[in-house]
Amino acid sequence: MTNEEILSKLKEAFPDVAIQVQTEETKDFTLIVPAERLVEVATHLRDHLGFDYLSDVTSVDYPDRFEVVYHLFSMKRGGGVLTLKVHLPDKEHPEVDSVTPIWPGANYQEREVYDLMGISFRNHPDLRRIMLWDGFPGHPLRKDFENRLYTYKELEPTRPKPPNW
Amino acid sequence: MLKTETITINMGPQHPSTHGVFRMVLTLNGETIVDLKPMFGYLHRGLEKTSESRTYLQAVPFTDRLDYICSMSNNFAYAVAVEKLAGIEVPLRAEYIRVIMAELTRLVNHMLAVGFLFNDLGAWYTPVVYAFRERERILDLFEMASGSRMMCNYIRPGGVAADLPAEFLPQLRKMIPHLENFVREIRFYLSDNEIFKARAVGVGFLPADMAVAYSITGPVLRASGVKYDVRKAEPYSIYDQFEFDVPTQVAGDVYARYLQRLDEMDESLKILRQAVERIPDGEYATKVPSRLRPPKGEAYARIEAPKGELGFYLVSDGSPNPYRWRNRPPSLINLSALREMCLGHKVADVVTILGSIDITLADVDR
Amino acid sequence: MQVLDDLWIRIAVWFRGLLESFLPPWAVQLTMDVLGILLLIVLGIVVVLAFTYMERKVIARVGDRIGPNRAGPFGIFQAIADAIKMLTKEDVTPTNADRWLFLAAPIVVIIPAVLLYAVLPFGRGMVGVDLNIAVVFVVAMGGIPILTMLMAGWASNNKYALLGAFRTVAQLISYEVPMVVALLTVVLLAGTMSTVGIVEAQASFPFALVTPVAFVVYMLAGLAELNRTPFDLLEADSEIVAGYFIEYSGMKFAMFFLAEYINLFMVAGMITTLFLAGWQWPILPSWLWFLIKVVVVIFLMMWIRATFPRFRIDQMLGFAWKALVPVSLVNLFLVALVAKVLEPGWARTGVLFVSNLALLAGAIAIMAQVARKREERARAAGEAAIKRYYGSEVR
């Protein structure tokens, strides 16, 4: 299935959704989907277009927006990547629907995005921080995170204490 | 009046069989697992953040430290990603060297995985010591080529760090029959052990459809019967020029994963044989500036690392430092289905199942 | 030859004569008894030193390693260095531990282990006490460590220790049954419960040849009693870290360690006595024969430890109740029947040997059948899942 076919089939299925193709600045076939229709499009991609394998969920902090990036492949067919992107212009409280109900493999990766980038996922079954402890100040992968040496004295009070650790 | 209670056990972070600082909160009913919650982050070093303030070449040593058993494969994946981003061509000899190194790494990883699986089963270090003996010989080769045994930092964007020394290929030629014999020996001595079979057959069953849904990759996926290997599905480097099969198993249990690793070792040796015969002379690297400035853009590249699919997602803003440096760790994502595999089994099986998934905590936490 | 054979007895007789020259008879008896007890305890400790060294070397050689080679020539003082290290280590009692039980467990564990040496015939005429119910004594003393391990596991206030204690009780009680049945078989053949009598009954044929099933069952049950691979899941280091003695350190840990190796020698000694004709067999002195056989049995156990993975708790209990108990019971009836019908001699040995082998082969065939069934089930489940994923598409 070529990229054009995928795009035309998607447009056919979702005539009312503004699916954009990112043409510049990327090496891969990239689609930008409105955040509120992500789950529908993703379900369609999985069930009807054969993208049964979600390889990677990640996020990028741009000056004007957050981007959540999904890299999809087809295990039955093989072949190249379909990059699915969601733009989140709300820099204060970025929030997007979780795709964990569609691809359970997204679970830990979405938790990682939540932990390190501070993007919340609606309907995620178990949205907790994964790498850092609850109470860690800030989200390190954001560009406004102060990248310096944090002392023990500074961080120790934020750490959860037994018996709740 | 008798009443029963469940016990909550923290398995880890200091536990001999969690393969690192990994914690599982087990809820037990007697010895049966009722619930399992994995906890990560004890080895989180923030490599993704740190790399954003380094140049593209300075980030290569960080990839060594992702999955420290397979440093060469990590270098390889990162190099492929940077080359895709910056549009760098790689000389043919360098591609051959990369394939040789990647397959040797796969051998190292799989023999350790098999050895440590037996350790987790209680075989008192014997298989793992034999695995380590063979691994040492491969590490000798790595040292010969890169100067380092574990943190090789050898495969760089543009090629490899240095040409192979003259004695490398003859020694590798001698090694290949030896390693084939080693795989045969493992099969002969371990595969039919009845206790091993009793512990492994039907334990930690991962159905094929579930494996795909949970984004499981690598030997664990193929042991569940899904024929998917990045080397075949989306060939990178020069893997399309080699003849090899993608072995799969049917049962999807611990035993199938063990057999799968042995089969993959055979295939790796097949590739190595072809690569050693065909490796051409020529340049070993394209010149890449040390402050590489890839054009503004982004790229996702992936390879079939020994533990599963290892991907790198790089975003460049045209400066010498990556804007976003994302690593898709196979170990973390392969753990997604751990809970589902373990429920209803015994405490002892958790250890076995974890051993059969084959994780490195440095790769899980990064 | 005779001199060598009686060496230790001659020394004892000479020493008794020496004492009698200046002590009243009751004092002589007392001194001799105390000396005997001391000798057995010292023997226990020497055994531990020797067998820890041997175990390390054997496992190392099996694993293609060298093993201890630093402390003294060939590392023979390794065990002593370990003992010094262990005795000088800090002694930790965990908070919230049951202090008295925690303290008592390592002491209680070592007593039955040493007591058992009393009935072990080390050579011709070399036995502490020739009890006429020695076999019952062995079984009774073998039951005490179960209690100790439960004590240790409970008192440690540690969940791994508690799990280890659960496993201990389940495992040891299960394995007592086939062990006792195997012992009964031997008693039936020998017609006596005294260990000396059993050794003497094996003058022509060792019972390992007469009834291999009982031998194998006893060997496996003995491995389970000793918590050794493949039944070492009481202290499975890769699962529950160290089981019931996880919280013990220093001297207290050393006591458990000591008890383990004293028991190792004891079980090997019992196997030798019950099945391998004890100190009998020609040419070499009797005590040397005993030692050689014990070392061979222990080597076998170490070999198993170095090469086999361990069972899971349910499989292990299943193995005891579904395989060992029925097999040993059938064997008991078989032996009772044949021993009633045939007189001791070549015919009886031959009939028993062949029928035992048939029984063993039958049991193994049934177990293999079960294992194959399980493999088929696992395969079928996998195939169904693959079909579910790929649907009607061709792979």
Side-chain angles (χ1 to χ4, degrees), chain B residues 176-235:
Chain B
I176 291 171
H178 180 83
L179 288 169
E180 282 168 345
N181 192 38
F182 173 68
V183 179
R184 257 202 303 280
E185 259 180 18
I186 288 194
R187 271 185 209 284
F188 180 74
Y189 287 115
L190 303 182
S191 291
D192 288 331
N193 186 315
E194 280 302 330
I195 299 179
F196 171 49
K197 275 188 161 177
R199 288 293 306 276
V201 172
V203 171
F205 173 52
L206 181 67
D209 46 349
M210 195 164 135
V212 174
Y214 275 86
S215 305
I216 308 293
T217 46
V220 184
L221 174 76
R222 291 189 285 277
S224 291
V226 182
K227 204 175 179 110
Y228 187 76
D229 188 318
V230 182
R231 292 176 293 179
K232 286 279 190 197
E234 192 193 2

Side-chain angles (χ1 to χ4, degrees), chain B residues 114-361:
Chain B
V114 168
F116 277 112
L117 175 63
F118 274 85
N119 226 17
D120 295 340
L121 285 167
W124 206 255
Y125 293 96
T126 306
V128 85
V129 172
Y130 281 91
F132 262 105
R133 187 186 68 188
E134 300 311 314
R135 174 182 182 243
E136 287 303 306
R137 298 187 186 176
I138 296 178
L139 292 195
D140 285 344
L141 288 176
F142 285 174
E143 190 180 12
M144 208 186 273
S146 71
S148 174
R149 296 171 76 81
M150 272 180 87
M151 302 296 142
C152 298
N153 191 12
Y154 180 63
I155 300 174
R156 310 265 176 89
V160 293
D163 203 358
L164 293 178
E167 63 271 32
F168 183 92
L169 285 173
Q171 185 152 348
L172 181 57
R173 272 193 201 100
K174 257 189 279 168
M175 283 278 296
I176 291 171
H178 180 83
L179 288 169
E180 282 168 345
N181 192 38
F182 173 68
V183 179
R184 257 202 303 280
E185 259 180 18
I186 288 194
R187 271 185 209 284
F188 180 74
Y189 287 115
L190 303 182
S191 291
D192 288 331
N193 186 315
E194 280 302 330
I195 299 179
F196 171 49
K197 275 188 161 177
R199 288 293 306 276
V201 172
V203 171
F205 173 52
L206 181 67
D209 46 349
M210 195 164 135
V212 174
Y214 275 86
S215 305
I216 308 293
T217 46
V220 184
L221 174 76
R222 291 189 285 277
S224 291
V226 182
K227 204 175 179 110
Y228 187 76
D229 188 318
V230 182
R231 292 176 293 179
K232 286 279 190 197
E234 192 193 2
Y236 54 93
S237 190
I238 48 164
Y239 274 107
D240 46 354
Q241 299 175 17
F242 292 105
E243 268 177 42
F244 65 99
D245 298 328
V246 179
T248 54
Q249 311 295 322
V250 174
D253 50 14
V254 173
Y255 190 64
R257 277 167 228 149
Y258 156 83
L259 287 181
Q260 175 67 22
R261 294 214 164 83
L262 294 187
D263 288 353
E264 285 189 15
M265 279 160 84
D266 283 340
E267 295 304 318
S268 285
L269 285 163
K270 232 188 254 175
I271 296 176
L272 275 178
R273 264 191 192 283
Q274 299 170 36
V276 169
E277 267 170 34
R278 286 199 237 139
I279 183 166
D281 287 333
E283 286 292 304
Y284 63 87
T286 327
K287 198 105 180 86
V288 173
S290 63
R291 283 171 70 78
L292 176 70
R293 290 167 187 270
K296 207 160 184 260
E298 57 190 61
Y300 180 75
R302 56 182 190 150
I303 68 158
E304 183 71 30
K307 292 194 163 67
E309 181 183 313
L310 177 63
F312 276 95
Y313 175 63
L314 300 174
V315 179
S316 160
D317 56 354
S319 71
N321 307 328
Y323 188 75
R324 179 81 171 88
W325 192 94
R326 154 77 179 170
N327 155 239
R328 182 223 189 258
S331 298
L332 173 69
I333 295 162
N334 281 357
L335 281 177
S336 311
L338 178 67
R339 179 173 179 274
E340 278 68 19
M341 284 193 233
C342 289
L343 288 188
H345 284 303
K346 302 276 185 281
V347 183
D349 292 330
V350 175
V351 169
T352 322
I353 293 166
L354 193 69
S356 75
I357 297 176
D358 181 26
I359 55 164
T360 306
L361 257 291

Side-chain angles (χ1 to χ4, degrees), chain C residues 93-312:
Chain C
T93 308
T95 39
N96 297 331
D98 191 331
R99 289 193 72 86
W100 289 107
L101 269 188
F102 188 76
L103 189 69
I107 301 169
V108 178
V109 76
I110 207 148
I111 294 170
V114 180
L115 275 179
L116 278 172
Y117 277 26
V119 294
L120 205 56
F122 292 94
R124 188 171 288 127
M126 286 163 59
V127 60
V129 204
D130 185 8
L131 272 184
N132 56 358
I133 50 154
V135 170
V136 178
F137 178 75
V138 167
V139 174
M141 284 298 138
I144 294 180
I146 303 176
L147 187 66
T148 330
M149 289 168 190
L150 188 59
M151 271 161 73
W154 174 257
S156 299
N157 189 32
N158 181 310
K159 285 168 184 169
Y160 289 120
L162 193 61
L163 271 182
F166 290 168
R167 288 180 173 192
T168 309
V169 175
Q171 168 176 336
L172 295 191
I173 288 178
S174 312
Y175 276 84
E176 293 272 280
V177 178
M179 191 174 205
V180 169
V181 176
L183 271 176
L184 267 181
T185 318
V186 170
V187 170
L188 208 64
L189 282 169
T192 171
M193 281 199 182
S194 140
T195 42
V196 178
I198 289 173
V199 171
E200 275 159 4
Q202 301 179 63
S204 41
F205 305 104
F207 287 155
L209 272 183
V210 180
T211 160
V213 169
F215 174 58
V216 170
V217 168
Y218 193 89
M219 182 92 181
L220 290 175
L223 282 173
E225 291 277 318
L226 286 169
N227 322 329
R228 291 180 74 80
T229 318
F231 307 107
D232 63 338
L233 54 180
L234 318 190
E235 47 193 74
D237 64 322
S238 60
E239 296 153 22
I240 49 172
V241 194
Y244 58 90
F245 59 77
I246 182 171
E247 292 287 358
Y248 284 91
S249 64
M251 182 89 176
K252 289 180 195 153
F253 172 73
M255 297 287 250
F256 279 109
F257 198 69
L258 220 62
E260 193 185 320
Y261 279 88
I262 292 175
N263 275 328
L264 173 66
F265 186 84
M266 180 61 210
V267 168
M270 279 309 283
I271 290 171
T272 308
T273 306
L274 296 174
F275 296 101
L276 301 176
W279 39 260
Q280 302 218 16
W281 287 1
I283 302 172
L284 292 177
S286 60
W287 48 272
L288 197 59
W289 261 128
F290 179 80
L291 213 60
I292 289 170
K293 288 174 188 173
V294 165
V295 168
V296 167
V297 170
I298 288 179
F299 177 77
L300 203 64
M301 289 178 172
M302 286 172 181
W303 192 0
I304 289 173
R305 178 173 184 186
T307 45
F308 276 82
R310 74 170 72 87
F311 278 113
R312 207 169 55 204

